[in-house]
Amino acid sequence: MQQPIIAPSILAADFANLQREVTMLNESAADWVHVDIMDGMFVPNISMGLPVVEAINRHSTKPLDVHLMIIQPERYLEAFRNAGASVITVHEEACPHLHRTLQQIKSLGCKAGVALNPHTPVQSLEDIIHDIDLVCVMAVNPGFGGQKFIEHTYRKVARLKEMILSSGSNALIEIDGGVNLTNAPALRSAGADVLVAGNFVFSSANPIDIIRQLKEI
Ligand code: DX5
Ligand code: ZN
């Protein structure tokens, strides 16, 4: 099995020392930097906006994986691309015209991701899976870092993997929320390609070592 893509979530970093945190990620085995954007509408929390994403991008040598937890994300796709996003993920629950939104993301030259809240079935993507570069399976309710991993996620990932394989889609499966070294091996076996980890990385005494251990799963 190939090694997983590791995407530490900068939401759990020390925001007063962002440059130092991004430099640490540059020196680590991380593949992407996961950037959580929350609008206080789609989720009950506000995180960071475009100037912060631009600042992260100025220092990062790794692609930015931007997770938009916002309503009407189509209004901001170009702005996030211009701020440095390589992957832009929108929520299925926030997009009544998901097909159009994904085409917009791709026309900007970014990879197009779709995130599913814990209650949203993978079947909701059945008719669009071919147009998706990445499916972000939320293993917590979006809005906050440091929450408890929802165990049902394993079954959901396995079902999604089946759908992807049987349809011939190339979509990657990303897991977001509560990921750690205890649940990561089973997530990988179920079909996960990308592991997002926030608090598990940034709250540890040695983030570089934790990232390396996640990478070697
Ligand atoms: C949750 C965010 C996650 C979060 C992950 O709304 O989308 O990316 O930052 O953080 P941990 O790994 O601490 O659950
Ligand atoms: Zn996220």
Side-chain angles (χ1 to χ4, degrees):
M1 197 159 45
Q2 261 189 326
Q3 285 192 316
I5 292 170
I6 306 300
S9 170
I10 202 81
L11 183 69
D14 176 357
F15 280 10
N17 286 291
L18 261 187
Q19 184 175 351
R20 189 190 68 199
E21 300 281 51
V22 172
T23 303
M24 180 277 289
L25 293 180
N26 288 344
E27 289 164 2
S28 77
D31 299 279
W32 299 347
V33 180
H34 186 82
V35 184
D36 287 308
I37 308 298
M38 304 177 183
D39 65 351
M41 298 289 288
F42 181 70
V43 289
N45 195 9
I46 297 175
S47 57
M48 65 190 101
L50 289 157
V52 179
V53 180
E54 269 170 37
I56 294 168
N57 189 51
R58 262 200 306 281
H59 296 287
S60 180
T61 56
K62 319 254 165 142
L64 303 191
D65 171 33
V66 174
H67 178 191
L68 296 181
M69 286 161 275
I70 67 176
I71 58 169
Q72 301 177 358
E74 57 285 347
R75 292 177 303 162
Y76 292 103
L77 300 174
E78 192 170 356
F80 279 104
R81 191 278 311 269
N82 292 345
S86 293
V87 182
I88 298 182
T89 296
V90 295
H91 265 263
E92 189 271 346
E93 304 83 6
C95 296
H97 305 290
L98 186 58
H99 183 270
R100 181 187 295 149
T101 306
L102 295 178
Q103 302 313 317
Q104 284 171 0
I105 295 173
K106 290 188 195 175
S107 72
L108 293 167
C110 297
K111 292 214 175 304
V114 179
L116 297 179
N117 278 339
H119 76 275
T120 305
V122 296
Q123 286 81 356
S124 64
L125 299 182
E126 209 165 341
D127 292 305
I128 198 162
I129 194 73
H130 283 101
D131 293 296
I132 300 177
D133 296 313
L134 174 145
V135 180
C136 174
V137 178
M138 293 307 301
V140 298
N141 287 294
F144 304 91
Q147 301 182 82
K148 191 173 173 293
F149 178 84
I150 298 171
E151 297 287 323
H152 177 73
T153 308
Y154 303 116
R155 266 182 286 163
K156 189 166 181 176
V157 172
R159 248 185 277 130
L160 177 59
K161 186 72 185 180
E162 250 178 57
M163 184 200 287
I164 289 172
L165 288 175
S166 65
S167 68
S169 152
N170 293 319
L172 295 173
I173 300 179
E174 176 176 75
I175 316 298
D176 189 8
V179 171
N180 56 39
L181 279 166
T182 308
N183 54 33
L187 289 169
R188 285 286 288 152
S189 309
D193 305 291
V194 185
L195 301 174
V196 174
N199 280 267
F200 189 65
V201 167
F202 286 96
S203 300
S204 80
N206 190 341
I208 295 229
D209 190 53
I210 292 288
I211 293 168
R212 185 189 53 77
Q213 290 188 54
L214 286 166
K215 184 78 190 167
E216 284 170 5
I217 272 167

